[in-house]
Amino acid sequence: MKLTYYGHSCFGVELADGTHLLFDPYVTPNELAKDIDLDSIPADFVLLTHGHFDHMQDAEAILTRTGAKLIANFEIATWYGEKGIANVHPLNAGGAFQFPFGRVKAVSAIHSSVLPDGTYGGGPVGFVIEAGGSSFYVSGDTALTMDMKIIGERHALEFAVMCIGDNFTMGAEDAAIAANWTGARTVIGVHYDTFPPIKLDRAAAHAAFTAKGVELLLPGIGETIGV
């Protein structure tokens, strides 16, 4: 698999079969991602963890351009359906579904969620993706939660993508604990630096993960890495 980071919490994963999964597209309002061409981002499936603007601002444009299928909770899927996006699949926490590329399970996250127009956004989720004999975890925006231990008990993760910016979500120390609980030995950190309250102390973040025996990767915006 290959992972491309587009800034904030937006990243794409190209699976071994060539399927492109895109998570939480927030690019055009992000000054740090000003060099990213939104129209060049590939997507066969777009997955949204919750309804906050900084996780879905560019979703409609990408869904319209690519015809990708949207995977999100019931409220978000319905909201987009009312906007004319018909290729949607609602998936709520605890539920899983087998797609052509593999299985997606929505898992619990502790956060808030409201859509950009003030509409109720339903509950936030993370995702466990199983595809091609491998699996990975996407935390979405969340606090450290004991439910993460269940993920570790039920899945053998290749890697995890976790929020690490603190203030609005768990910070690096809690995320390193979450990595241990989920069994992830490699974590790609997201949701940091975009806004002043989530400016990351990179040395401290790496130290927190090293102390737990976990590799922390912080790819540059636009960088593609093998995972």
Side-chain angles (χ1 to χ4, degrees):
M1 290 184 284
K2 297 178 181 178
L3 182 148
T4 302
Y5 182 50
Y6 297 113
H8 197 53
S9 290
C10 180
F11 64 96
V13 173
E14 181 181 358
L15 302 177
D17 68 357
T19 299
H20 288 272
L21 309 182
L22 181 66
F23 295 82
D24 288 351
Y26 173 80
V27 177
T28 56
N30 183 3
E31 180 64 21
L32 299 178
K34 63 184 179 181
D35 293 331
I36 298 296
D37 176 14
L38 190 71
D39 290 338
S40 70
I41 297 176
D44 298 303
F45 293 83
V46 173
L47 297 89
L48 301 181
T49 60
H50 64 292
H52 285 163
F53 75 97
D54 60 325
H55 291 257
M56 58 181 290
Q57 189 72 28
D58 293 310
E60 184 175 356
I62 292 171
L63 290 165
T64 300
R65 171 176 60 85
T66 63
K69 181 180 288 293
L70 171 66
I71 302 173
N73 71 24
F74 178 82
E75 287 78 10
I76 294 173
T78 300
W79 189 76
Y80 275 103
E82 292 172 350
K83 293 167 71 67
I85 304 295
N87 192 14
V88 303
H89 185 99
L91 187 68
N92 275 5
F97 190 81
Q98 185 72 32
F99 293 93
F101 65 84
R103 184 174 183 263
V104 178
K105 184 175 181 64
V107 296
S108 63
I110 298 178
H111 195 58
S112 55
S113 180
V114 63
L115 292 161
D117 64 358
T119 303
Y120 172 59
V125 299
F127 296 107
V128 175
I129 312 295
E130 298 176 337
S134 298
S135 63
F136 64 94
Y137 166 53
V138 178
S139 74
D141 281 9
T142 187
L144 180 66
T145 166
M146 293 292 287
D147 286 354
M148 293 169 177
K149 290 191 173 185
I150 299 174
I151 295 172
E153 291 171 357
R154 300 189 62 183
H155 303 277
L157 302 177
E158 296 295 320
F159 65 93
V161 180
M162 293 186 179
C163 52
I164 61 171
D166 219 342
N167 197 80
F168 299 114
T169 69
M170 61 184 177
E173 289 187 0
D174 280 358
I177 295 170
N180 279 177
W181 287 357
T182 61
R185 308 309 303 167
T186 299
V187 169
I188 295 90
V190 298
H191 204 278
Y192 64 90
D193 281 358
T194 316
F195 313 112
I198 60 172
K199 183 70 175 177
L200 184 68
D201 182 332
R202 295 185 177 224
H206 279 291
F209 277 86
T210 298
K212 295 294 183 183
V214 179
E215 180 184 26
L216 173 64
L217 302 179
L218 300 176
I221 295 175
E223 183 179 355
T224 298
I225 61 174
V227 288

